[in-house]
Amino acid sequence: MTKKLNYMNNLLTYSRLFVLLLLLLLAGSCTSKTDANGPKKVAVIVSTLNNPWFVVLAETAAAEAKALGYETKIFDSQNNTALESDHFENAIVSGFNAILLNPTDSDGSIVNARKAIEAGIPVFCMDREVNSPRAATCQILSDNYSGCVAIGKYFVQTLRAKASNTPINYVEILGLVGDNNTWNRSKGFHSVVDQYRNFKMVAQQSADFDRNKAMEVLESILQAHPDINAVFCGNDAMAMGAYQALVAAGKANDVGVFGFDGADDVMNSIRDGKIKATGLQSPQTMAKTAAQFADAYFKGKRDFAKKIPVAVELIDQGNIKDYPATKKS
Amino acid sequence: MPKNTLKYTMLLVLLAVVAYNSVYFKRLDEVKASAGPNAGQPFDAASYASAFWTNKLLPATAKATEFDALLSLLKTDKEKAFNTHSHALGIGNIRYFLVKGTGNVTAVGDNDITILLPSGESVKLATEYIFGNAVRDASGLIQITEFDNTMDLNNVSAELNTIIRNKVVPPLKANAKPGATINFVGAIELNKAHLHLETIEVIPISVEVIR
Protein backbone atom coordinates (compact mmCIF):
# COMPACT_ATOMS: atom_id res chain seq x y z
CA MET A 1 0.00 0.00 0.00
CA THR A 2 2.88 2.39 0.99
CA LYS A 3 4.72 1.41 -2.17
CA LYS A 4 1.63 2.25 -4.22
CA LEU A 5 1.27 5.62 -2.49
CA ASN A 6 4.93 6.46 -3.22
CA TYR A 7 4.41 5.49 -6.82
CA MET A 8 1.37 7.77 -7.04
CA ASN A 9 3.30 10.67 -5.44
CA ASN A 10 6.15 10.27 -7.89
CA LEU A 11 3.74 10.13 -10.79
CA LEU A 12 2.12 13.35 -9.57
CA THR A 13 5.53 15.09 -9.27
CA TYR A 14 6.53 14.05 -12.80
CA SER A 15 3.17 15.13 -14.15
CA ARG A 16 3.64 18.55 -12.55
CA LEU A 17 7.11 18.82 -14.08
CA PHE A 18 5.74 17.93 -17.52
CA VAL A 19 2.98 20.49 -17.22
CA LEU A 20 5.54 23.12 -16.16
CA LEU A 21 7.73 22.15 -19.09
CA LEU A 22 4.82 22.40 -21.50
CA LEU A 23 3.85 25.80 -20.10
CA LEU A 24 7.40 27.09 -20.55
CA LEU A 25 7.53 25.84 -24.12
CA LEU A 26 4.19 27.42 -24.89
CA ALA A 27 5.17 30.71 -23.23
CA GLY A 28 7.41 31.63 -26.17
CA SER A 29 4.60 31.38 -28.67
CA CYS A 30 1.80 32.96 -26.62
CA THR A 31 2.57 36.66 -26.65
CA SER A 32 -0.74 38.33 -27.22
CA LYS A 33 -4.38 37.68 -26.72
CA THR A 34 -6.92 38.57 -29.32
CA ASP A 35 -10.66 38.67 -29.20
CA ALA A 36 -11.79 36.49 -32.04
CA ASN A 37 -15.36 37.79 -31.93
CA GLY A 38 -14.93 41.61 -31.69
CA PRO A 39 -13.45 43.94 -34.27
CA LYS A 40 -9.67 43.99 -34.70
CA LYS A 41 -7.85 46.63 -32.67
CA VAL A 42 -5.45 49.23 -34.02
CA ALA A 43 -3.14 51.17 -31.69
CA VAL A 44 -1.86 54.61 -32.70
CA ILE A 45 1.34 55.36 -30.79
CA VAL A 46 2.46 58.96 -31.40
CA SER A 47 5.66 60.72 -30.29
CA THR A 48 3.81 63.69 -28.76
CA LEU A 49 0.37 65.24 -28.62
CA ASN A 50 1.81 68.58 -27.53
CA ASN A 51 2.45 69.58 -31.14
CA PRO A 52 -0.64 70.21 -33.32
CA TRP A 53 1.07 68.63 -36.34
CA PHE A 54 1.30 65.27 -34.53
CA VAL A 55 -2.24 65.64 -33.17
CA VAL A 56 -3.47 65.83 -36.78
CA LEU A 57 -1.33 62.79 -37.66
CA ALA A 58 -2.62 60.67 -34.75
CA GLU A 59 -6.26 61.70 -35.00
CA THR A 60 -6.38 61.18 -38.77
CA ALA A 61 -4.83 57.70 -38.41
CA ALA A 62 -7.30 56.74 -35.67
CA ALA A 63 -10.26 58.16 -37.61
CA GLU A 64 -9.29 56.31 -40.80
CA ALA A 65 -8.81 53.02 -38.92
CA LYS A 66 -12.18 53.51 -37.23
CA ALA A 67 -13.81 54.26 -40.58
CA LEU A 68 -12.37 50.98 -41.85
CA GLY A 69 -14.17 49.17 -39.03
CA TYR A 70 -11.47 48.80 -36.38
CA GLU A 71 -11.37 49.65 -32.69
CA THR A 72 -8.68 52.30 -32.11
CA LYS A 73 -6.79 53.89 -29.25
CA ILE A 74 -4.22 56.71 -29.28
CA PHE A 75 -1.17 56.44 -27.00
CA ASP A 76 0.94 59.59 -26.34
CA SER A 77 4.66 58.81 -25.85
CA GLN A 78 5.41 62.40 -24.69
CA ASN A 79 8.71 62.27 -26.61
CA ASN A 80 9.92 59.60 -24.19
CA THR A 81 11.14 56.23 -25.55
CA ALA A 82 10.64 54.56 -22.14
CA LEU A 83 6.98 55.59 -22.16
CA GLU A 84 6.74 54.46 -25.78
CA SER A 85 8.11 51.07 -24.67
CA ASP A 86 5.35 50.82 -22.03
CA HIS A 87 2.75 51.63 -24.68
CA PHE A 88 4.08 48.83 -26.89
CA GLU A 89 3.94 46.35 -24.02
CA ASN A 90 0.38 47.43 -23.20
CA ALA A 91 -0.64 47.17 -26.85
CA ILE A 92 0.85 43.69 -27.18
CA VAL A 93 -0.68 42.39 -23.93
CA SER A 94 -4.05 44.03 -24.66
CA GLY A 95 -4.31 42.16 -27.94
CA PHE A 96 -3.99 45.02 -30.44
CA ASN A 97 -3.69 43.60 -33.95
CA ALA A 98 -1.71 46.42 -35.61
CA ILE A 99 0.30 49.44 -34.49
CA LEU A 100 0.48 52.75 -36.36
CA LEU A 101 3.63 54.35 -35.00
CA ASN A 102 5.05 57.83 -35.07
CA PRO A 103 8.42 56.98 -33.49
CA THR A 104 9.92 59.02 -30.69
CA ASP A 105 13.51 58.35 -31.72
CA SER A 106 14.97 56.91 -34.95
CA ASP A 107 17.29 54.60 -33.00
CA GLY A 108 15.60 54.38 -29.59
CA SER A 109 12.28 53.21 -31.06
CA ILE A 110 13.79 50.25 -32.95
CA VAL A 111 13.67 47.90 -29.97
CA ASN A 112 10.05 48.88 -29.22
CA ALA A 113 8.87 48.29 -32.78
CA ARG A 114 10.73 44.99 -32.98
CA LYS A 115 8.94 43.77 -29.85
CA ALA A 116 5.63 44.06 -31.68
CA ILE A 117 6.98 42.60 -34.92
CA GLU A 118 8.35 39.60 -33.02
CA ALA A 119 4.94 39.19 -31.38
CA GLY A 120 3.41 38.96 -34.86
CA ILE A 121 1.87 42.45 -34.78
CA PRO A 122 2.47 44.60 -37.88
CA VAL A 123 3.96 48.06 -37.30
CA PHE A 124 3.43 50.91 -39.78
CA CYS A 125 5.60 53.96 -39.18
CA MET A 126 4.25 57.39 -40.01
CA ASP A 127 6.31 60.50 -40.82
CA ARG A 128 9.38 59.64 -38.75
CA GLU A 129 11.52 56.64 -39.59
CA VAL A 130 13.29 54.03 -37.50
CA ASN A 131 16.83 53.23 -38.56
CA SER A 132 16.22 49.58 -39.30
CA PRO A 133 14.27 48.23 -42.27
CA ARG A 134 13.35 45.15 -40.22
CA ALA A 135 11.84 47.06 -37.31
CA ALA A 136 8.62 47.91 -39.14
CA THR A 137 6.30 46.29 -41.67
CA CYS A 138 6.36 49.50 -43.72
CA GLN A 139 7.48 53.09 -43.13
CA ILE A 140 5.41 55.84 -44.73
CA LEU A 141 7.59 58.93 -44.74
CA SER A 142 7.57 62.48 -46.08
CA ASP A 143 9.92 62.71 -49.04
CA ASN A 144 12.05 65.30 -47.26
CA TYR A 145 14.97 64.93 -49.66
CA SER A 146 12.95 65.44 -52.85
CA GLY A 147 10.95 68.25 -51.25
CA CYS A 148 14.19 70.08 -50.52
CA VAL A 149 15.51 69.36 -54.02
CA ALA A 150 12.48 71.34 -55.26
CA ILE A 151 13.15 74.11 -52.70
CA GLY A 152 16.84 74.14 -53.66
CA LYS A 153 15.93 74.52 -57.34
CA TYR A 154 13.56 77.42 -56.59
CA PHE A 155 16.19 78.94 -54.28
CA VAL A 156 18.77 78.94 -57.10
CA GLN A 157 16.28 80.08 -59.75
CA THR A 158 15.07 83.10 -57.73
CA LEU A 159 18.48 84.21 -56.48
CA ARG A 160 20.27 83.72 -59.80
CA ALA A 161 17.55 85.68 -61.55
CA LYS A 162 18.12 88.52 -59.12
CA ALA A 163 21.88 88.62 -59.25
CA SER A 164 22.99 86.60 -62.32
CA ASN A 165 26.31 84.96 -61.50
CA THR A 166 27.44 87.37 -58.80
CA PRO A 167 28.29 85.79 -55.42
CA ILE A 168 25.28 84.73 -53.33
CA ASN A 169 25.87 84.34 -49.59
CA TYR A 170 23.40 82.27 -47.64
CA VAL A 171 22.84 80.77 -44.20
CA GLU A 172 21.45 77.32 -43.43
CA ILE A 173 19.64 76.80 -40.12
CA LEU A 174 19.39 73.10 -39.33
CA GLY A 175 16.87 71.24 -37.16
CA LEU A 176 17.81 68.70 -34.49
CA VAL A 177 21.20 67.29 -35.51
CA GLY A 178 20.23 63.80 -34.30
CA ASP A 179 17.08 63.70 -36.45
CA ASN A 180 17.18 61.96 -39.85
CA ASN A 181 14.73 64.49 -41.31
CA THR A 182 17.22 67.30 -40.61
CA TRP A 183 19.90 65.69 -42.76
CA ASN A 184 17.58 64.40 -45.50
CA ARG A 185 16.33 67.98 -45.96
CA SER A 186 19.83 69.43 -45.88
CA LYS A 187 21.17 66.82 -48.34
CA GLY A 188 18.31 67.43 -50.78
CA PHE A 189 18.85 71.19 -50.68
CA HIS A 190 22.63 70.92 -51.12
CA SER A 191 22.28 68.35 -53.96
CA VAL A 192 21.05 71.31 -56.02
CA VAL A 193 22.64 74.43 -54.56
CA ASP A 194 26.17 73.00 -54.31
CA GLN A 195 26.22 72.66 -58.10
CA TYR A 196 26.36 76.46 -58.39
CA ARG A 197 29.78 77.77 -57.44
CA ASN A 198 28.69 81.34 -56.87
CA PHE A 199 26.44 80.19 -53.99
CA LYS A 200 28.41 80.32 -50.76
CA MET A 201 27.09 79.03 -47.42
CA VAL A 202 28.62 81.49 -44.93
CA ALA A 203 27.14 79.79 -41.85
CA GLN A 204 25.37 76.53 -40.98
CA GLN A 205 23.99 76.20 -37.47
CA SER A 206 21.33 74.18 -35.64
CA ALA A 207 18.33 75.78 -33.94
CA ASP A 208 16.64 72.47 -32.98
CA PHE A 209 13.50 73.17 -35.07
CA ASP A 210 12.69 75.94 -32.57
CA ARG A 211 11.41 79.39 -33.55
CA ASN A 212 13.04 81.40 -30.74
CA LYS A 213 16.36 79.59 -31.09
CA ALA A 214 16.36 80.27 -34.84
CA MET A 215 15.82 83.97 -34.17
CA GLU A 216 18.73 84.06 -31.73
CA VAL A 217 20.96 82.00 -34.04
CA LEU A 218 20.34 84.28 -37.02
CA GLU A 219 20.77 87.45 -34.94
CA SER A 220 24.17 86.15 -33.91
CA ILE A 221 25.12 85.13 -37.48
CA LEU A 222 24.07 88.55 -38.82
CA GLN A 223 26.67 90.17 -36.55
CA ALA A 224 29.43 88.30 -38.39
CA HIS A 225 27.78 88.18 -41.85
CA PRO A 226 25.58 91.24 -42.38
CA ASP A 227 25.67 90.84 -46.18
CA ILE A 228 23.68 87.60 -46.65
CA ASN A 229 21.17 87.14 -49.49
CA ALA A 230 19.09 84.23 -48.19
CA VAL A 231 18.36 81.86 -45.31
CA PHE A 232 17.31 78.23 -45.75
CA CYS A 233 15.64 76.75 -42.65
CA GLY A 234 14.97 73.06 -41.94
CA ASN A 235 11.40 73.77 -40.83
CA ASP A 236 8.78 76.51 -40.86
CA ALA A 237 9.01 77.40 -37.15
CA MET A 238 12.68 78.27 -37.68
CA ALA A 239 11.79 80.16 -40.87
CA MET A 240 9.41 82.35 -38.86
CA GLY A 241 12.13 82.92 -36.23
CA ALA A 242 14.66 83.80 -38.94
CA TYR A 243 12.20 86.23 -40.51
CA GLN A 244 11.68 87.93 -37.11
CA ALA A 245 15.46 88.35 -36.76
CA LEU A 246 15.64 89.90 -40.24
CA VAL A 247 12.77 92.29 -39.44
CA ALA A 248 14.60 93.37 -36.26
CA ALA A 249 17.77 93.93 -38.29
CA GLY A 250 15.91 95.89 -40.99
CA LYS A 251 16.82 93.33 -43.66
CA ALA A 252 13.49 91.57 -44.18
CA ASN A 253 13.08 92.98 -47.71
CA ASP A 254 16.61 92.13 -48.83
CA VAL A 255 17.02 88.57 -47.56
CA GLY A 256 14.88 85.67 -48.82
CA VAL A 257 13.70 83.12 -46.23
CA PHE A 258 12.89 79.53 -47.21
CA GLY A 259 11.24 77.00 -44.87
CA PHE A 260 9.83 73.47 -44.84
CA ASP A 261 6.57 71.92 -43.50
CA GLY A 262 3.70 73.96 -44.94
CA ALA A 263 2.68 75.38 -41.55
CA ASP A 264 -0.28 77.77 -41.62
CA ASP A 265 1.68 80.85 -40.51
CA VAL A 266 4.32 80.32 -43.18
CA MET A 267 1.72 79.66 -45.88
CA ASN A 268 0.13 82.99 -44.91
CA SER A 269 3.56 84.66 -44.90
CA ILE A 270 4.24 83.36 -48.42
CA ARG A 271 0.89 84.82 -49.43
CA ASP A 272 1.98 88.15 -47.92
CA GLY A 273 5.36 87.97 -49.70
CA LYS A 274 7.34 87.72 -46.45
CA ILE A 275 8.63 84.15 -46.80
CA LYS A 276 9.74 82.96 -50.25
CA ALA A 277 8.83 79.25 -50.22
CA THR A 278 8.21 76.10 -48.20
CA GLY A 279 7.68 72.37 -48.75
CA LEU A 280 4.14 71.25 -47.94
CA GLN A 281 4.00 67.95 -46.10
CA SER A 282 0.79 65.98 -45.74
CA PRO A 283 0.31 64.31 -42.35
CA GLN A 284 -3.19 63.34 -43.44
CA THR A 285 -1.89 61.35 -46.43
CA MET A 286 0.66 59.52 -44.27
CA ALA A 287 -1.84 58.72 -41.51
CA LYS A 288 -4.57 57.52 -43.87
CA THR A 289 -2.11 55.39 -45.83
CA ALA A 290 -0.84 53.75 -42.61
CA ALA A 291 -4.39 52.83 -41.56
CA GLN A 292 -5.22 51.56 -45.05
CA PHE A 293 -2.04 49.45 -45.05
CA ALA A 294 -3.06 47.90 -41.69
CA ASP A 295 -6.41 47.07 -43.26
CA ALA A 296 -4.65 45.52 -46.27
CA TYR A 297 -2.42 43.53 -43.91
CA PHE A 298 -5.46 42.07 -42.13
CA LYS A 299 -6.81 41.07 -45.52
CA GLY A 300 -3.65 39.14 -46.37
CA LYS A 301 -1.28 41.61 -48.09
CA ARG A 302 2.33 41.06 -47.08
CA ASP A 303 4.48 42.50 -49.91
CA PHE A 304 4.83 46.03 -48.48
CA ALA A 305 7.74 48.21 -49.54
CA LYS A 306 9.97 48.83 -46.54
CA LYS A 307 9.80 52.61 -47.01
CA ILE A 308 7.32 54.62 -49.06
CA PRO A 309 7.96 58.31 -49.72
CA VAL A 310 5.02 60.72 -49.59
CA ALA A 311 5.38 63.65 -52.00
CA VAL A 312 6.18 67.08 -50.57
CA GLU A 313 4.82 69.95 -52.67
CA LEU A 314 6.81 73.12 -53.27
CA ILE A 315 4.77 76.18 -52.28
CA ASP A 316 6.19 79.40 -53.66
CA GLN A 317 5.20 82.89 -54.72
CA GLY A 318 3.90 81.53 -58.03
CA ASN A 319 1.54 78.78 -56.84
CA ILE A 320 0.47 79.90 -53.34
CA LYS A 321 -2.86 81.03 -54.83
CA ASP A 322 -3.68 77.34 -55.45
CA TYR A 323 -3.77 76.67 -51.72
CA PRO A 324 -6.68 78.09 -49.75
CA ALA A 325 -5.88 80.67 -47.08
CA THR A 326 -6.13 79.66 -43.44
CA LYS A 327 -7.13 81.90 -40.54
CA LYS A 328 -4.26 83.99 -39.24
CA SER A 329 -3.45 83.38 -35.57
CA MET B 1 18.01 5.81 -6.76
CA PRO B 2 16.64 5.29 -10.27
CA LYS B 3 13.66 7.45 -9.24
CA ASN B 4 16.03 10.25 -8.13
CA THR B 5 17.99 9.89 -11.35
CA LEU B 6 14.80 10.27 -13.35
CA LYS B 7 13.84 13.31 -11.25
CA TYR B 8 17.25 14.96 -11.72
CA THR B 9 17.21 14.14 -15.44
CA MET B 10 13.83 15.83 -15.75
CA LEU B 11 15.13 18.87 -13.88
CA LEU B 12 18.22 18.99 -16.08
CA VAL B 13 16.06 18.79 -19.22
CA LEU B 14 13.89 21.56 -17.80
CA LEU B 15 16.90 23.74 -17.06
CA ALA B 16 18.36 23.01 -20.50
CA VAL B 17 15.09 24.04 -22.20
CA VAL B 18 14.90 27.27 -20.18
CA ALA B 19 18.58 28.05 -20.82
CA TYR B 20 18.28 27.25 -24.55
CA ASN B 21 15.28 29.54 -24.95
CA SER B 22 16.80 32.35 -22.90
CA VAL B 23 20.20 32.86 -24.47
CA TYR B 24 21.03 33.55 -28.12
CA PHE B 25 24.44 33.89 -29.66
CA LYS B 26 24.94 35.92 -32.82
CA ARG B 27 28.02 37.40 -34.45
CA LEU B 28 28.21 41.13 -33.66
CA ASP B 29 28.89 42.02 -37.30
CA GLU B 30 25.74 40.11 -38.35
CA VAL B 31 23.63 42.02 -35.82
CA LYS B 32 25.11 45.34 -36.94
CA ALA B 33 24.58 44.42 -40.59
CA SER B 34 20.92 43.48 -40.04
CA ALA B 35 20.00 46.41 -37.79
CA GLY B 36 22.15 49.27 -39.02
CA PRO B 37 21.07 52.03 -41.39
CA ASN B 38 23.21 50.49 -44.14
CA ALA B 39 21.91 46.97 -43.70
CA GLY B 40 22.97 44.48 -46.33
CA GLN B 41 25.21 45.19 -49.29
CA PRO B 42 26.18 48.80 -50.03
CA PHE B 43 24.07 50.13 -52.89
CA ASP B 44 25.91 51.46 -55.95
CA ALA B 45 23.51 54.11 -57.30
CA ALA B 46 25.78 55.07 -60.24
CA SER B 47 25.93 51.47 -61.54
CA TYR B 48 22.22 50.96 -60.99
CA ALA B 49 21.39 54.21 -62.84
CA SER B 50 23.73 53.40 -65.71
CA ALA B 51 22.24 49.90 -66.17
CA PHE B 52 18.68 51.27 -65.85
CA TRP B 53 19.42 54.01 -68.40
CA THR B 54 20.82 51.63 -71.01
CA ASN B 55 18.77 48.49 -70.48
CA LYS B 56 15.37 49.83 -69.49
CA LEU B 57 14.81 53.57 -69.94
CA LEU B 58 16.19 54.09 -73.45
CA PRO B 59 14.28 51.04 -74.84
CA ALA B 60 11.14 52.35 -73.07
CA THR B 61 11.33 55.69 -74.89
CA ALA B 62 9.65 54.00 -77.87
CA LYS B 63 6.53 53.59 -75.73
CA ALA B 64 6.40 57.22 -74.51
CA THR B 65 3.06 59.05 -74.76
CA GLU B 66 2.66 61.62 -77.55
CA PHE B 67 2.93 64.99 -75.80
CA ASP B 68 0.20 66.66 -77.88
CA ALA B 69 -2.25 63.80 -77.24
CA LEU B 70 -1.47 63.82 -73.52
CA LEU B 71 -1.96 67.56 -73.29
CA SER B 72 -5.33 67.24 -75.00
CA LEU B 73 -6.39 64.40 -72.66
CA LEU B 74 -5.27 66.33 -69.57
CA LYS B 75 -7.56 69.17 -70.65
CA THR B 76 -10.58 66.95 -71.29
CA ASP B 77 -10.22 64.05 -68.82
CA LYS B 78 -7.55 64.66 -66.18
CA GLU B 79 -8.37 61.51 -64.18
CA LYS B 80 -8.00 59.26 -67.21
CA ALA B 81 -4.76 60.95 -68.23
CA PHE B 82 -3.19 60.45 -64.81
CA ASN B 83 -4.55 56.92 -64.32
CA THR B 84 -3.42 55.76 -67.75
CA HIS B 85 -0.10 57.48 -68.29
CA SER B 86 1.44 58.67 -65.01
CA HIS B 87 3.77 56.90 -62.62
CA ALA B 88 5.37 57.70 -59.25
CA LEU B 89 7.26 55.63 -56.70
CA GLY B 90 5.79 57.64 -53.84
CA ILE B 91 2.30 58.54 -52.70
CA GLY B 92 0.75 61.97 -53.20
CA ASN B 93 -0.16 64.55 -55.82
CA ILE B 94 3.17 64.62 -57.68
CA ARG B 95 3.09 62.28 -60.71
CA TYR B 96 5.39 61.80 -63.70
CA PHE B 97 4.87 61.10 -67.40
CA LEU B 98 7.17 59.80 -70.14
CA VAL B 99 6.42 61.91 -73.24
CA LYS B 100 7.63 62.32 -76.80
CA GLY B 101 7.12 64.81 -79.58
CA THR B 102 8.47 66.62 -82.61
CA GLY B 103 8.61 70.39 -83.08
CA ASN B 104 10.52 73.41 -84.23
CA VAL B 105 12.90 75.38 -82.03
CA THR B 106 11.59 78.90 -81.52
CA ALA B 107 13.94 80.13 -78.79
CA VAL B 108 17.16 79.07 -77.10
CA GLY B 109 17.50 80.46 -73.58
CA ASP B 110 20.05 80.10 -70.78
CA ASN B 111 17.91 77.55 -68.95
CA ASP B 112 15.78 75.90 -71.65
CA ILE B 113 14.91 75.50 -75.31
CA THR B 114 11.39 76.39 -76.47
CA ILE B 115 9.78 74.12 -79.05
CA LEU B 116 6.61 74.78 -81.02
CA LEU B 117 4.55 71.60 -81.50
CA PRO B 118 2.33 70.89 -84.53
CA SER B 119 -0.77 71.53 -82.37
CA GLY B 120 0.38 75.11 -81.80
CA GLU B 121 1.32 74.41 -78.15
CA SER B 122 4.80 75.32 -76.92
CA VAL B 123 6.94 73.25 -74.60
CA LYS B 124 10.28 73.89 -72.90
CA LEU B 125 13.13 71.38 -72.90
CA ALA B 126 15.20 71.96 -69.74
CA THR B 127 18.93 72.41 -70.22
CA GLU B 128 19.97 73.95 -66.88
CA TYR B 129 17.79 72.73 -64.00
CA ILE B 130 17.98 68.95 -64.35
CA PHE B 131 16.81 67.90 -60.90
CA GLY B 132 14.09 65.83 -59.23
CA ASN B 133 12.59 62.37 -59.72
CA ALA B 134 10.87 62.75 -63.10
CA VAL B 135 13.38 60.66 -65.06
CA ARG B 136 13.55 57.94 -62.41
CA ASP B 137 9.78 57.57 -62.04
CA ALA B 138 8.22 58.48 -65.41
CA SER B 139 8.66 55.10 -67.09
CA GLY B 140 7.19 53.15 -64.15
CA LEU B 141 9.93 50.56 -64.60
CA ILE B 142 11.45 50.90 -61.13
CA GLN B 143 9.53 49.24 -58.32
CA ILE B 144 9.56 50.73 -54.81
CA THR B 145 9.79 47.20 -53.36
CA GLU B 146 13.31 46.90 -54.84
CA PHE B 147 14.56 49.38 -52.25
CA ASP B 148 14.83 49.20 -48.44
CA ASN B 149 16.37 52.66 -48.17
CA THR B 150 14.87 55.86 -49.56
CA MET B 151 18.30 57.50 -49.78
CA ASP B 152 19.20 54.84 -52.40
CA LEU B 153 16.17 55.98 -54.40
CA ASN B 154 17.27 59.62 -54.05
CA ASN B 155 20.74 58.72 -55.26
CA VAL B 156 19.33 56.92 -58.32
CA SER B 157 17.53 60.14 -59.29
CA ALA B 158 20.69 62.19 -58.80
CA GLU B 159 22.76 59.76 -60.92
CA LEU B 160 20.17 59.66 -63.74
CA ASN B 161 20.13 63.47 -63.77
CA THR B 162 23.93 63.45 -63.96
CA ILE B 163 23.78 61.17 -67.02
CA ILE B 164 21.42 63.66 -68.68
CA ARG B 165 23.61 66.64 -67.74
CA ASN B 166 26.67 64.88 -69.20
CA LYS B 167 25.30 63.01 -72.21
CA VAL B 168 22.04 64.59 -73.37
CA VAL B 169 22.26 68.32 -72.65
CA PRO B 170 25.66 69.20 -74.28
CA PRO B 171 24.78 67.97 -77.82
CA LEU B 172 21.27 69.47 -77.46
CA LYS B 173 22.65 72.90 -76.57
CA ALA B 174 25.26 72.67 -79.31
CA ASN B 175 22.84 71.76 -82.10
CA ALA B 176 19.49 73.30 -81.23
CA LYS B 177 19.24 76.57 -83.17
CA PRO B 178 16.06 78.54 -83.85
CA GLY B 179 14.29 76.98 -86.84
CA ALA B 180 15.72 73.50 -86.30
CA THR B 181 13.35 70.53 -85.96
CA ILE B 182 13.72 68.33 -82.91
CA ASN B 183 12.47 64.85 -82.02
CA PHE B 184 12.47 64.49 -78.25
CA VAL B 185 11.58 62.02 -75.52
CA GLY B 186 11.56 63.24 -71.95
CA ALA B 187 9.98 63.18 -68.52
CA ILE B 188 7.57 65.70 -67.02
CA GLU B 189 6.26 66.31 -63.50
CA LEU B 190 2.67 67.36 -62.85
CA ASN B 191 0.69 68.01 -59.67
CA LYS B 192 -2.58 66.09 -59.94
CA ALA B 193 -4.46 68.29 -57.47
CA HIS B 194 -3.08 71.61 -58.72
CA LEU B 195 -2.61 71.08 -62.44
CA HIS B 196 -0.83 73.76 -64.47
CA LEU B 197 -0.36 72.97 -68.14
CA GLU B 198 1.09 76.34 -69.08
CA THR B 199 4.39 75.78 -67.24
CA ILE B 200 5.33 72.24 -68.27
CA GLU B 201 9.06 71.63 -68.50
CA VAL B 202 10.43 68.47 -70.12
CA ILE B 203 13.62 66.88 -68.80
CA PRO B 204 15.18 65.52 -72.02
CA ILE B 205 16.10 61.81 -72.14
CA SER B 206 16.62 61.32 -75.85
CA VAL B 207 16.91 64.12 -78.39
CA GLU B 208 17.49 64.13 -82.15
CA VAL B 209 18.10 67.47 -83.83
CA ILE B 210 17.11 67.47 -87.52
CA ARG B 211 18.82 70.36 -89.22
Side-chain angles (χ1 to χ4, degrees), chain A residues 10 14 21 131-132 134 145-146 153 157 160 184 195-196 289 306-311 313 322-323, chain B residues 3 10 14 17-18 34-35 39 90-91 93-94 128-129 131 133 144 148 151 154 165 191 194 196 201:
Chain A
N10 283 334
Y14 297 142
L21 192 68
N131 286 336
S132 168
R134 284 157 193 80
Y145 180 96
S146 303
K153 181 180 164 187
Q157 282 175 324
R160 279 183 95 204
N184 287 341
Q195 305 226 10
Y196 296 88
T289 305
K306 284 294 170 190
K307 292 183 183 176
I308 295 187
V310 176
E313 298 174 35
D322 290 343
Y323 298 83
Chain B
K3 284 169 195 165
M10 288 296 297
L14 187 67
V17 168
V18 171
S34 66
I91 298 168
N93 292 331
I94 310 289
E128 176 62 41
Y129 298 109
F131 299 107
N133 301 324
I144 186 84
D148 277 359
M151 194 47 78
N154 298 330
R165 247 178 253 122
N191 185 319
H194 307 288
H196 286 283
E201 191 179 63

Side-chain angles (χ1 to χ4, degrees), chain A residues 6-7 10 13-14 17-18 20-21 24-25 110 129 131-134 140-141 143 145-146 149 153 156-157 160 183-184 187 191-192 195-196 285 289 293 303-313 319 321-324, chain B residues 2-4 6-7 10-11 13-14 17-18 21 33-37 39-40 89-94 111 128-133 136 144-145 147-151 153-155 158 162 165 191 193-196 201 203:
Chain A
N6 279 342
Y7 175 74
N10 283 334
T13 311
Y14 297 142
L17 279 170
F18 268 116
L20 189 63
L21 192 68
L24 278 164
L25 286 169
I110 292 175
E129 65 184 313
N131 286 336
S132 168
R134 284 157 193 80
I140 302 139
L141 312 165
D143 196 348
Y145 180 96
S146 303
V149 166
K153 181 180 164 187
V156 172
Q157 282 175 324
R160 279 183 95 204
W183 296 110
N184 287 341
K187 280 178 192 169
S191 74
V192 178
Q195 305 226 10
Y196 296 88
T285 303
T289 305
F293 278 11
D303 57 337
F304 293 98
K306 284 294 170 190
K307 292 183 183 176
I308 295 187
V310 176
V312 172
E313 298 174 35
N319 69 359
K321 59 186 177 297
D322 290 343
Y323 298 83
Chain B
K3 284 169 195 165
N4 279 345
L6 190 60
K7 195 173 171 180
M10 288 296 297
L11 277 169
V13 169
L14 187 67
V17 168
V18 171
N21 283 316
S34 66
L89 290 184
I91 298 168
N93 292 331
I94 310 289
N111 303 326
E128 176 62 41
Y129 298 109
I130 312 289
F131 299 107
N133 301 324
R136 182 194 68 189
I144 186 84
T145 44
F147 296 86
D148 277 359
N149 190 337
T150 43
M151 194 47 78
L153 276 171
N154 298 330
N155 291 336
T162 301
R165 247 178 253 122
N191 185 319
H194 307 288
L195 189 60
H196 286 283
E201 191 179 63
I203 305 279

Side-chain angles (χ1 to χ4, degrees), chain B residues 27 37 43 45 71 76 85 92 99 133 164 173 181-182 184 187-188 196:
Chain B
R27 290 173 65 89
F43 177 72
L71 213 55
T76 54
H85 301 294
V99 297
N133 301 324
I164 291 168
K173 283 176 86 168
T181 303
I182 283 186
F184 68 88
I188 62 170
H196 286 283

